Amino acid sequence: MTFRYVNLQVYLPFSDTLKYCLLALAIALFLAALIILACKMRQYYAYKAKANGKEKKFISSSNGEKKPDGKILVKSLSPSFLEVARKEQDSKIELMQKEMEKLEVHLTPSPPSNESLDDLGSDSDRPLGPRGMLKFNLQYNKKSTTLTLNVIEATDLPEYSRDPFVRIRVLCKTDEPKSEVQTVLHECETRVVKNSRNPIFDEDFSFSLKEYPLSNTSIKLEVKDFDKYSRHTLIGEARRALKDLKSSETLEFNEHLQEKTKDIIGEVLISLKCLPTAQKIEVGILKFKTSSSSIIQERDVYARIDVFSNQHKQKHQKSSLRAKSKVTVFNETFLFSLPDPKKTHCLILISLYETLSTGKKLIGQTTLGNQKTKFKDDHWDMMMQTLRQPVADWHPLYI
């Protein structure tokens, strides 16, 4: 049986006129598409040229003198609204300036005088009136070279005093000429008396002064208000030189509490380097040295760096731990933001701590920067004169 395949072709009756009409329509649509494409390309290039012109104008205006912008916005706003906004801005600026002045007072140390040092870390709520009185006894045993202290009581403390205690430091000045550096021989505290403005301590302390002459030794008693977060508020201090003590004679003192003074307990070598292109400042902690007569214990020390720029506190940085010695070497650098070195108000606080089994203990602090004080910071000026180059200098460490 044989199968045959038959091809069937269907022919549609299209005339030549219809074919030419369809061809003409296709050509017309193609031309219309080309015209639309050309218009869009022209609009694109015109917009691009306009955008480039605005960018060039903005760059040229930013490089030159500043001209008032946003005239339409200024005209649309009422004068009263603009005046109120300007007053608010001025008040904010004044408030920032006052806060920065407070920060300078709190953190800026003053060079030492012959008798005392200005306060480095004053408390903002420190009273202007009487601070109260502190009563204590001193006795020196020449045979055993032992100093005995009896802290008796404090009276008439300020109203804000809630839980007072007394911190005691025995200091000895070095024999080096023209040196204000002192050594902390002993440091201890009384117990905290709760809820009393007239606390009775009645505690005895004994200090060995072997190999330390009384003529260079003094005792400082700081009355503070206890805070559980270790932010104790200073009430006042009493200081006594031991050169007038006689052997085996007990002397009683009832001293008015005075404003706190600062003592230099060492020096720290700091390097500064300004990087204007990167808008950074490099702070280097190189060395820390104490007096030759200081007592060195087997403890680790570290440095903490706090930077305040235009009243903004940047995140602090810490050095690694180092074994404490009379000359402790760190040789570490830290980078902080400094947008405009000539205009930015910058304050750098360097704090040295030693580690204890119960936490940490402050050794001393120093500050530097371009803050406006009566004592000019030559180290900062030297850094600004030698950009991109580290400049090192010694700074006293206060406690």
Side-chain angles (χ1 to χ4, degrees):
M1 195 172 191
T2 305
F3 295 94
R4 294 184 179 179
Y5 296 94
V6 179
N7 293 330
L8 298 177
Q9 296 181 355
V10 180
Y11 296 94
L12 297 176
F14 287 120
S15 63
D16 294 338
T17 303
L18 181 59
K19 292 179 182 179
Y20 287 125
C21 290
L22 292 175
L23 180 61
L25 180 61
I27 294 173
L29 292 174
F30 178 72
L31 293 175
L34 289 178
I35 293 172
I36 293 173
L37 179 62
C39 293
K40 293 295 182 181
M41 292 291 290
R42 183 179 179 183
Q43 291 178 1
Y44 170 74
Y45 285 114
Y47 174 78
K48 189 174 180 181
K50 187 176 180 181
N52 290 336
K54 285 184 177 180
E55 184 178 358
K56 291 179 180 178
K57 184 177 179 181
F58 173 76
I59 293 174
S60 62
S61 62
S62 63
N63 291 334
E65 296 182 354
K66 293 184 177 179
K67 298 181 180 179
D69 296 331
K71 294 182 180 179
I72 298 176
L73 177 62
V74 174
K75 290 181 179 179
S76 63
L77 296 175
S78 61
S80 60
F81 178 80
L82 290 175
E83 186 177 355
V84 171
R86 286 168 183 166
K87 286 182 179 179
E88 290 181 356
Q89 186 177 7
D90 293 340
S91 63
K92 289 181 180 179
I93 292 174
E94 291 179 0
L95 181 62
M96 290 177 65
Q97 291 176 348
K98 290 180 181 179
E99 292 296 331
M100 184 58 70
E101 290 176 359
K102 289 182 180 180
L103 183 65
E104 291 175 2
V105 174
H106 292 177
L107 300 178
T108 305
S110 301
S113 61
N114 294 330
E115 298 179 356
S116 65
L117 296 167
D118 292 334
D119 195 10
L120 172 65
S122 304
D123 297 308
S124 59
D125 55 351
R126 180 175 292 179
L128 298 177
R131 302 167 184 270
M133 302 187 69
L134 181 65
K135 188 176 182 180
F136 58 95
N137 293 336
L138 288 175
Q139 182 185 26
Y140 178 67
N141 190 326
K142 189 175 182 180
K143 293 182 178 179
S144 61
T145 63
T146 302
L147 175 69
T148 303
L149 166 69
N150 175 239
V151 182
I152 303 174
E153 63 177 353
T155 56
D156 300 327
L157 297 181
E159 293 183 358
Y160 71 89
S161 175
R162 294 291 182 267
D163 305 322
F165 71 98
V166 181
R167 175 174 291 168
I168 304 151
R169 286 193 180 101
V170 180
L171 305 168
C172 182
K173 190 176 179 181
T174 60
D175 293 329
E176 300 174 4
K178 297 182 180 180
S179 175
E180 297 290 338
V181 179
Q182 300 197 69
T183 301
V184 180
L185 303 180
H186 303 281
E187 185 174 0
C188 55
E189 296 176 355
T190 66
R191 74 188 195 307
V192 177
V193 179
K194 298 286 186 179
N195 300 320
S196 177
R197 292 178 56 196
N198 298 282
I200 297 176
F201 300 102
D202 195 19
E203 292 188 47
D204 294 325
F205 301 90
S206 182
F207 310 106
S208 176
L209 300 181
K210 189 177 181 181
E211 299 179 357
Y212 295 100
L214 285 182
S215 58
N216 295 343
T217 309
S218 62
I219 188 169
K220 182 167 73 170
L221 299 94
E222 297 176 343
V223 181
K224 294 190 173 186
D225 193 36
F226 178 79
D227 179 78
K228 63 180 180 179
Y229 300 108
S230 299
R231 297 176 181 174
H232 311 307
T233 303
L234 175 70
I235 299 174
E237 75 164 36
R239 184 190 290 260
R240 269 289 165 183
L242 304 182
K243 60 183 178 180
D244 297 329
L245 289 181
K246 297 180 181 179
S247 179
S248 302
E249 181 181 359
T250 302
L251 297 180
E252 183 175 294
F253 302 93
N254 196 12
E255 299 284 338
H256 288 277
L257 295 178
Q258 305 294 329
E259 184 176 358
K260 184 179 180 180
T261 57
K262 286 291 179 179
D263 300 285
I264 301 178
I265 53 87
E267 291 181 301
V268 57
L269 182 60
I270 303 172
S271 71
L272 296 177
K273 182 167 69 171
C274 181
L275 305 171
T277 305
Q279 296 186 346
K280 300 282 186 180
I281 182 173
E282 182 185 270
V283 182
I285 309 298
L286 306 182
K287 294 180 182 179
F288 157 61
K289 67 178 181 180
T290 59
S291 65
S292 57
S293 59
S294 60
I295 302 173
I296 303 299
Q297 299 178 350
E298 294 183 359
R299 294 174 180 173
D300 292 332
V301 297
Y302 69 91
R304 167 174 167 156
I305 303 94
D306 293 274
V307 174
F308 303 83
S309 56
N310 287 343
Q311 209 178 15
H312 170 69
K313 183 181 182 298
Q314 302 185 35
K315 185 178 180 181
H316 69 269
Q317 299 187 47
K318 296 180 181 180
S319 71
S320 56
L321 292 175
R322 294 287 191 273
K324 186 178 180 181
S325 61
K326 291 187 177 180
V327 179
T328 307
V329 179
F330 289 96
N331 285 339
E332 296 187 43
T333 57
F334 309 88
L335 284 175
F336 293 91
S337 174
L338 189 65
D340 191 343
K342 294 183 179 179
K343 297 182 180 180
T344 301
H345 194 118
C346 184
L347 184 65
I348 303 173
L349 172 65
I350 309 294
S351 307
L352 265 74
Y353 293 90
E354 61 181 352
T355 58
L356 304 175
S357 58
T358 57
K360 63 181 180 180
K361 175 185 172 184
L362 178 66
I363 299 176
Q365 293 179 318
T366 189
T367 61
L368 61 155
N370 61 349
Q371 68 273 17
K372 296 179 181 179
T373 59
K374 56 183 178 180
F375 299 102
K376 196 173 182 180
D377 191 352
D378 295 332
H379 193 182
W380 188 273
D381 294 339
M382 287 189 295
M383 178 196 71
M384 296 304 300
Q385 294 173 4
T386 57
L387 298 178
R388 301 178 183 86
Q389 296 294 328
V391 180
D393 196 7
W394 288 97
H395 291 262
L397 207 61
Y398 297 89
I399 192 171

